[in-house]
Amino acid sequence: MSSKKKKPEPVDDGEEAGGGGKAKLLIIALVAVLAIGAGAYFFLFSGSGEAEAEVVPEAGSVVLEVEPVAINLAGGSYLKLGMALQFSLAYDEAAGGGGHGGGATPDGSKALDIAIAQFSGAALPDVQNNREAMKATLEQAIIEAYHGDVYEIYYTEYVTQ
């Protein structure tokens, strides 16, 4: 049973074999760090050029006054709401050039519908105490509905009872 043959032991070349493995690991780590750095730079700094090129809307000359409407609130109260829509300069330019009906008066029914949907059934204290917050929400919804053609909204009447 002593006839077991020993396998020849691998020859250890010392620093050369160990150094080659460490060098490969160092190169891989360096490439990984560079890739992560490039990715971070791309995500953090590449969008900054677009923000500077973004067009800031300007107020135009078209102002549409929407007739006041009484909106039922919760608890039998109501809100009489009147508003005006200030359209953007881009709308003015497009309307004069044949877009948006070739200079026709804009329609305020979308804005009125959004206002009724937002305020209907709201509690009287919410409508009285959160006027500016509700206006900001209404304004954002109207701007989206008019595809950015509305610059700002103004309350012309805001009476609760």
Side-chain angles (χ1 to χ4, degrees):
M1 301 227 178
S2 63
S3 62
K4 285 186 177 179
K5 294 184 178 180
K6 284 188 172 180
K7 293 184 180 177
E9 292 183 25
V11 178
D12 188 15
D13 292 332
E15 294 179 22
E16 187 177 39
K22 288 182 183 177
K24 286 181 184 178
L25 184 60
L26 183 63
I27 291 173
I28 291 172
L30 183 62
V31 169
V33 168
L34 287 174
I36 291 171
Y41 177 81
F42 175 75
F43 286 114
L44 294 176
F45 300 113
S46 67
S48 65
E50 292 178 20
E52 294 171 349
E54 185 176 318
V55 176
V56 177
E58 295 180 40
S61 62
V62 177
V63 177
L64 174 68
E65 189 166 340
V66 179
E67 290 294 320
V69 62
I71 302 171
N72 292 326
L73 302 175
S77 300
Y78 75 91
L79 166 68
K80 187 170 183 184
L81 177 70
M83 64 183 152
L85 308 177
Q86 171 85 51
F87 283 82
S88 66
L89 184 61
Y91 176 85
D92 287 357
E93 292 168 355
H100 302 286
T105 303
D107 184 18
S109 59
K110 271 194 251 183
L112 189 58
D113 185 53
I114 292 167
I116 292 169
Q118 178 177 329
F119 288 103
S120 289
L124 182 60
D126 290 339
V127 173
Q128 289 174 331
N129 299 331
N130 300 321
R131 178 178 170 166
E132 292 304 314
M134 294 184 89
K135 179 183 178 184
T137 303
L138 176 64
E139 184 174 66
Q140 187 60 38
I142 290 172
I143 289 171
E144 288 176 16
Y146 282 86
H147 308 289
D149 286 341
V150 173
Y151 176 74
E152 192 171 3
I153 68 167
Y154 305 100
Y155 286 153
T156 58
E157 199 164 336
Y158 195 91
V159 180
T160 58
Q161 183 176 348

